[in-house]
Amino acid sequence: MSLLEVVDLNVWFDLPGSGRLHAVQGVDLAVERGERLGLVGESGCGKTTVMMALMGLLPSSATVSGEIRLEGEDILAGGEDTIRPHRWVDMAMVFQGAMNAFNPVQTIGRQIVEPMELHGVASGQAARRRTSELLEMVGIPASAAKRYPHEFSGGMRQRAALAMALACDPKVLFADEPTTALDVMVQAQILMRLVELADELDLALVLVTHDLPVVAQACDRAMVMYAGRVAEQADMDVLFHDPRHPYTELLFAATPDLYGEDHVVSIPGNPPRLDQKLVGCPFAPRCPKAMDVCRREEPLPLAIGTGHVAACHLNSPAREATA
Amino acid sequence: MTTIELEARESAPRGRWRFGQLVKERPAATVGAVLLALFILMAIFAQWLMPYDPYHQVGPVFGTPSLAHPLGLDDGGYDVVSLIIQGGRISMVVGFAATLVATVLGGGIGILSGYFGGATDTALMRMTDYFLVIPDIPLMIIIAAVWGPSLSHIILVIGLLLWTSTARIIRSQVKSVRERVYVRRARSVGASHARVIFRHILPQVAPLLVANTVLTIAVAIFDETALAFLGLSDPTAITWGTMIEHAFERTAISAGAWWAVVPPGVAVSLVIMACSLLGQAIEDATNPRLRVAHLSIRGFRILPRLPGKVADR
Amino acid sequence: MRGSVYFAKRVTLAAGTVFVAITLNFILFRAAPGDAVSNLSRVPHASPALKEALRHEFGLDQSKWQQYWLYLDQLFHGNLGISFADQQPVSHDLTVALGNTVPMVLLGTVIAIGLGVVTGTVAAWRRGGITDQVNTNVAIAFYSFPTQWLGLMLLILFAGVLPTSGMSDEFLIDPTWWEHTVDVLKHMILPSATLALTLYGEYTLIARSSMLETLSEDYVLTARAKGLPNSTVVRRHAFRNALLPTTTLVALSLGYVVGGAILIETVFSWPGIGRAVYQAVLQRDYPMLQGAFLVLTLSVVVFNLIADLLYFRLDPRVTE
């Protein structure tokens, strides 16, 4: 049984006025204990929404359907009531721009202790001790606990947010663009620490990012999303060496290689609007390998190898038969 | 977290806005705009709309409302409906004129202060601060008392006190616009200050200025009624403010003639409400805050899953 | 002590503003053309003896600069001149008037703040729903009603039920302290209620917008992500932060309330400082006018200072 299993996740957002936006469509994914999964895609592809849906943090304008199984239990079924007990103790998060994750009028220490006391993990002196340990684990002096968030740099606040996320010893850690807003040196350090901690604590990591090198470095598996759907899902090296979706190919090609002489390929065009019904494959307008069938029929995710899934007509058996 | 709003808004419908769409999306603005438009039309076409001459007695003092006079007669036997229409014209003219003074002055000072910065800015802002500190109504009372009662004095006085908030708002906006690349480029090419201000900065600042102007009109009309109530306006002029003042001074209340008191207040309130709604809506439109409340009393909805895979719904 | 430097700096700035206000006051009343004090023929009922006394007191036979110094000196000793109307020291009249205004205004503003913050917060919490729309629109409506008109409406509605004029019943013979207090309180109900209703709308809108802003902050999402129940998130994280701008804006607006109560005091004949200003205008009682205006300006400066210091105390991000 997987630690976290998501079946047919769909998310709609109400638009002001009228209409709905289908932000996430039919997403399946699974995360095993200690595994590191990357969620990759352009901004607006739905990856953050997926993460929010899993933690049950969507706003009131959202509608969700599907199954979210945490250690076998469907936590989505009962809504807020079934999800909330699992927050922080089983699933924790480090937000994008975690600089602002802290309440400005409370000390860092107070905010790290808060979930510990809430979930009965520790309280009082024990909680404070644990806070010091956590802070040192992420590379911040323990004295930081007495200070206010604004007294720290962005990078340190990011680390503190990480410490806070680990406060209740969760099983899954979601990290949304954990390094984007920081400078490159700090980025590398934090990423490395994140991976080390995941190893040490046997933590499952779900890394949401648009930054391919980050995923390549830190993750075992990755899921590429496009227009709210899963384009491709596979182990990292399979994705790199045997991509089965043109979007994945282009994504890897679009990343400039410092040492190579490859031309930088950019992907022309824009992702499709999600408030209107789409006919065919959402990537067809921008796809260099688009065929007639791509514009007519939407490709469903197909299993290609073990743990390798891609939603592209190029992989369909009928196609292969005629190739 | 911004990604969620981005993901939700990036595909928001654009294109032609039909009226129905406008009403649904911004009902407050529509109500405000329509109401204000109605009052402006009423003021413009006052002569043709008034059923009776507001300067002549048409019945007994404090005549009760009837079919002929739906809002009754006031302390002089004048038809209240006609008074409201005529009064509206003058009240709104005073309000608009005072706002013009305030906007020109405030906008001018704001632009100069924000654009030139440095010593000019400091000096102008100090002056603005001191004006801000002076309590409006007492100062207006004193100036109106010293200069004598007349509508033009009222307009000047109100305008002289309302410019400060406009100045501040415009100044901060100008400061941020000034730093934009195309402005700096224009300056480096050698465009004169005037040219830069009028061609580049003013258009950017205009929406905010409009919103602020509308909101100022509301305050100006309110101030006119206050000054009139305290006997500092032209007593021969018919404005909503003087109507309320007459009702108070000339015992309409003890005579039980509520129809002499209620309508002018309702009229003023409606105009102020319209301005507030419209002004606020314009301000919101120029300053779109793409922020989602992360918490509200209703949570997200859950749809039961239909069997089988659904590609789209 | 944290903030002693900040405190000192702000107080100094405020003192500077006060000084400018005092000077402006002088200019407005004494140096501007058409000022009545120097033109003694404009003083009503001025006997030759009074004229002479005034001339001496205001030093009108001296230059403007010397008058200014005289004015500052008198001010420093708490001498605001003699009222033309009742021949009493202005400082005395003002103190009495202020003493009448403060309780009435205090009652009204406390109610307004309480009502405004509650309705605003609830409206933000239930945003978009009926509660929000009703609360917000009612607040806008009350905010739009001209103050004097609202007072008149209440007056009409409650004419027989509550006292509508003055601060106490003249016909109450030899009342005990308790009877007198109750009597005054009864008279205070309508004016304070008017003030409360006219003010609360603005506070509702401020509280609502502040709360909405706070609810969209990342730390609220984090608090929710930690598994805190909604009520705790609102109470411990959102509300505390939303209170910050609300407090400052409310404190700032209070400075103007005392001056704004003029309309209410006129409607209900409440013998406070607002009414004193109005009557001083009618009676051309310039010393009184000058003194009252000074007091009102000072109240704005004081409340601005309070707002500043409050913000500093409440928000740890503000540094010296």
Side-chain angles (χ1 to χ4, degrees):
Chain A
M1 174 176 65
S2 305
L3 174 59
L4 183 63
E5 202 180 324
V6 179
V7 181
D8 194 25
L9 183 67
N10 280 279
V11 179
W12 296 265
F13 286 108
D14 296 333
L15 291 170
S18 64
R20 285 207 300 191
L21 189 140
H22 200 165
V24 173
Q25 280 184 209
V27 168
D28 297 328
L29 68 85
V31 186
E32 309 299 332
R33 271 167 198 75
E35 185 180 35
R36 297 197 293 275
L37 176 71
L39 282 185
V40 202
E42 292 168 282
S43 57
C45 71
K47 52 195 195 300
T48 305
T49 311
V50 166
M51 197 182 59
M52 291 297 203
L54 296 184
M55 294 260 317
L57 292 176
L58 293 169
S60 58
S61 58
T63 311
V64 196
S65 89
E67 279 176 38
I68 302 177
R69 295 181 182 281
L70 185 64
E71 291 181 309
E73 178 197 340
D74 183 357
I75 55 177
L76 183 61
E80 181 79 6
D81 293 329
T82 43
I83 298 185
R84 191 178 335 118
H86 295 286
R87 288 194 192 133
W88 233 245
V89 274
D90 293 322
M91 303 185 291
M93 242 183 110
V94 179
F95 293 103
Q96 180 176 13
M99 287 61 113
N100 303 319
F102 287 100
N103 185 338
V105 299
Q106 284 186 351
T107 58
I108 301 253
R110 179 84 199 82
Q111 298 182 54
I112 298 184
V113 163
E114 187 178 27
M116 289 192 230
E117 285 179 347
L118 175 72
H119 296 287
V121 167
S123 64
Q125 190 67 306
R128 282 193 288 278
R129 227 176 307 129
R130 184 165 163 74
T131 303
S132 304
E133 283 166 18
L134 285 167
L135 287 172
E136 292 189 336
M137 203 158 48
V138 297
I140 307 181
S143 60
K146 291 199 224 33
R147 311 198 92 93
Y148 287 93
H150 68 273
E151 298 182 56
F152 294 107
S153 68
M156 289 193 63
R157 265 178 285 174
Q158 191 80 14
R159 292 177 198 255
L162 184 55
M164 185 163 70
L166 298 170
C168 297
D169 208 8
K171 303 189 174 74
V172 185
L173 181 64
F174 294 98
D176 189 1
E177 310 275 8
T179 54
T180 311
L182 306 166
D183 63 56
V184 187
M185 294 295 294
V186 183
Q187 266 190 40
Q189 287 171 5
I190 292 194
L191 202 58
M192 205 165 61
R193 198 74 197 102
L194 195 57
V195 171
E196 281 168 10
L197 281 171
D199 271 339
E200 282 170 38
L201 304 168
D202 197 25
L203 198 55
L205 194 59
V206 177
L207 207 56
V208 171
T209 179
H210 65 274
D211 198 348
L212 263 187
V214 166
V215 176
Q217 215 184 316
C219 300
D220 310 317
R221 289 171 54 78
M223 185 170 98
V224 179
M225 285 187 70
Y226 188 78
R229 305 156 173 79
V230 177
E232 190 166 4
Q233 213 186 131
D235 291 341
M236 266 330 286
D237 48 352
V238 171
L239 219 53
F240 193 68
H241 292 112
D242 186 22
R244 294 304 192 97
H245 194 292
Y247 181 58
T248 315
E249 281 179 34
L250 285 171
L251 266 186
F252 276 95
T255 308
D257 180 2
L258 264 184
Y259 304 107
E261 291 166 19
D262 306 352
H263 301 294
V264 176
V265 176
S266 67
I267 313 179
N270 290 309
R273 292 167 54 140
L274 298 174
D275 57 338
Q276 292 166 345
K277 222 164 152 50
L278 267 172
V279 178
C281 174
F283 190 57
R286 300 166 82 185
C287 181
K289 301 185 182 169
M291 309 174 284
D292 282 331
V293 63
C294 301
R295 287 177 249 274
R296 278 192 330 259
E297 235 179 82
E298 179 173 348
L300 295 174
L302 276 173
I304 298 174
T306 23
H308 189 174
V309 162
C312 179
H313 287 302
L314 288 170
N315 301 305
S316 69
R319 195 72 190 88
E320 278 179 7
T322 57
Chain B
M1 274 148 279
T2 47
T3 325
I4 279 211
E5 292 96 46
L6 272 174
E7 290 177 1
R9 289 280 207 183
E10 254 174 11
S11 315
R14 280 172 275 264
R16 280 182 16 240
W17 279 39
R18 291 185 326 269
F19 189 64
Q21 178 89 353
L22 191 67
V23 175
K24 246 209 234 171
E25 282 209 25
R26 297 188 192 277
T30 329
V31 167
V34 167
L35 211 49
L36 196 56
L38 283 175
F39 273 103
I40 293 179
L41 284 173
M42 183 188 85
I44 295 178
F45 295 109
Q47 289 118 296
W48 296 280
L49 288 171
M50 287 189 287
Y52 301 92
D53 180 352
Y55 293 99
H56 281 98
Q57 183 167 10
V58 288
V61 166
F62 293 139
T64 54
S66 60
L67 271 176
H69 303 279
L71 287 176
L73 306 171
D74 79 340
D75 61 280
Y78 302 118
D79 174 50
V80 173
V81 172
S82 312
L83 286 172
I84 291 274
I85 296 177
Q86 177 70 358
R89 164 182 270 200
I90 301 187
S91 285
M92 301 218 321
V93 163
V94 169
F96 279 63
T99 305
L100 189 64
V101 172
T103 304
V104 167
L105 203 52
I109 290 185
I111 289 179
L112 288 174
S113 197
Y115 182 76
F116 287 109
T120 322
D121 184 19
T122 321
L124 286 174
M125 277 306 109
R126 279 278 150 266
M127 183 180 76
T128 311
D129 281 342
Y130 292 130
F131 263 90
L132 265 177
V133 161
I134 299 175
D136 292 0
I137 296 187
L139 183 64
M140 278 192 257
I141 292 177
I142 291 165
I143 294 185
V146 169
W147 278 356
S150 95
L151 284 182
S152 45
H153 290 163
I154 298 284
I155 292 173
L156 269 175
V157 164
I158 296 178
L160 278 174
L161 277 159
L162 291 183
W163 66 264
T164 47
S165 64
T166 309
R168 277 194 152 182
I169 294 175
I170 296 297
R171 170 184 174 261
S172 56
Q173 179 80 341
V174 167
K175 279 195 155 192
S176 73
V177 170
R178 184 186 62 171
E179 295 311 314
R180 289 192 197 159
V181 180
Y182 63 90
V183 174
R184 292 204 280 192
R185 216 182 287 143
R187 281 293 297 150
S188 68
V189 170
S192 70
H193 289 302
R195 187 177 171 78
V196 175
I197 290 180
F198 281 104
R199 282 215 62 192
H200 298 285
I201 299 202
L202 208 50
Q204 288 297 315
V205 162
L208 199 58
L209 199 55
V210 169
N212 190 266
T213 306
V214 173
L215 291 168
T216 309
I217 293 177
V219 181
I221 293 187
F222 177 91
D223 285 345
E224 186 270 325
T225 63
L227 288 173
F229 189 70
L230 297 169
L232 298 164
S233 183
D234 181 355
T236 62
I238 301 179
T239 71
W240 290 330
T242 55
M243 285 175 74
I244 300 179
E245 191 260 340
H246 289 340
F248 180 61
E249 282 297 316
R250 301 175 192 178
T251 70
I253 300 183
S254 31
W258 55 266
W259 52 89
V261 188
V262 174
V266 169
V268 173
S269 309
L270 286 176
V271 172
I272 294 183
M273 259 190 277
C275 286
S276 302
L277 289 173
L278 186 61
Q280 197 62 53
I282 299 179
E283 210 176 72
D284 287 343
T286 60
N287 246 349
R289 296 203 279 93
L290 295 173
R291 290 158 73 90
V292 175
H294 294 306
L295 202 56
S296 71
I297 190 146
R298 290 175 298 125
F300 58 88
R301 273 145 302 172
I302 304 176
L303 271 183
R305 213 184 126 212
L306 296 181
K309 270 280 226 201
V310 198
D312 199 19
R313 234 175 265 187
Chain C
M1 176 188 105
R2 170 183 176 252
S4 30
V5 170
Y6 186 81
F7 182 75
K9 233 182 12 179
R10 299 317 270 184
V11 169
T12 318
L13 261 171
T17 316
V18 166
F19 184 72
V20 171
I22 290 176
T23 308
L24 274 174
N25 210 348
F26 176 78
I27 294 174
L28 192 63
F29 284 97
R30 304 272 211 104
D35 93 273
V37 173
S38 59
N39 186 354
L40 287 173
S41 59
R42 285 236 236 143
V43 174
H45 324 301
S47 66
L50 178 61
K51 282 193 191 178
E52 196 44 49
L54 285 172
R55 195 186 302 273
H56 177 74
E57 177 175 347
F58 293 120
L60 293 170
D61 39 3
Q62 303 168 31
S63 74
K64 288 291 182 212
W65 277 110
Q66 289 170 311
Q67 286 184 46
Y68 183 53
W69 280 116
L70 190 61
Y71 165 72
L72 285 180
D73 181 57
Q74 287 176 329
L75 209 57
F76 195 67
H77 289 99
N79 178 6
L80 290 163
I82 307 284
S83 156
F84 289 165
D86 63 359
Q87 321 293 309
Q88 296 294 311
V90 166
S91 45
H92 172 261
D93 288 347
L94 278 182
T95 314
V96 170
L98 205 54
N100 293 339
T101 294
V102 168
M104 187 267 284
V105 162
L106 204 59
L107 182 60
T109 34
V110 164
I111 296 177
I113 293 175
L115 197 58
V117 169
V118 167
T119 47
T121 308
V122 168
W125 176 238
R126 290 170 186 256
R127 180 207 207 161
I130 282 288
T131 319
D132 178 21
Q133 292 190 32
V134 167
N135 269 339
T136 309
N137 288 317
V138 167
I140 294 182
F142 273 102
Y143 175 62
S144 308
F145 294 151
T147 314
Q148 71 274 27
W149 183 80
L150 188 59
L152 288 175
M153 291 297 106
L154 285 180
L155 201 143
I156 294 178
L157 280 174
F158 293 101
V161 178
L162 287 169
T164 58
S165 146
M167 197 171 80
S168 55
D169 193 349
E170 295 127 15
F171 299 107
L172 216 56
I173 309 172
D174 230 357
T176 63
W177 177 88
W178 177 246
E179 282 174 347
H180 177 72
T181 310
V182 168
D183 184 41
V184 169
L185 282 174
K186 268 207 283 198
H187 281 83
M188 215 190 280
I189 293 180
L190 282 183
S192 294
T194 309
L195 186 63
L197 286 174
T198 222
L199 279 182
Y200 104 89
E202 187 181 4
Y203 298 158
T204 303
L205 296 174
I206 291 176
R208 178 179 180 274
S209 117
S210 172
M211 188 62 166
L212 281 179
E213 183 84 27
T214 309
L215 284 177
S216 63
E217 292 280 357
D218 291 351
Y219 55 82
V220 168
L221 187 60
T222 309
R224 197 172 151 212
K226 285 199 236 175
L228 292 168
N230 283 355
S231 55
T232 312
V233 177
V234 171
R235 213 180 354 104
R236 203 185 286 171
H237 294 274
F239 191 64
R240 171 76 173 73
N241 281 281
L243 221 47
L244 215 57
T246 309
T247 312
T248 8
L249 286 167
V250 166
L252 280 174
S253 84
L254 284 179
Y256 299 92
V257 167
V258 173
I262 290 180
L263 293 166
I264 297 179
E265 289 184 2
T266 308
V267 168
F268 295 103
S269 307
W270 187 264
I273 195 163
R275 187 140 177 274
V277 169
Y278 178 52
Q279 291 195 313
V281 167
L282 285 181
Q283 297 167 336
R284 301 279 184 269
D285 188 356
Y286 289 98
M288 188 66 175
L289 213 48
Q290 185 174 8
F293 188 68
L294 190 62
V295 168
L296 291 174
T297 309
L298 282 183
S299 87
V300 173
V301 175
V302 163
F303 275 101
N304 276 11
L305 184 64
I306 292 179
D308 242 341
L309 296 176
L310 256 180
Y311 196 82
F312 181 72
R313 178 79 180 74
L314 290 174
D315 187 351
R317 284 173 290 187
V318 178
T319 47
E320 305 174 25

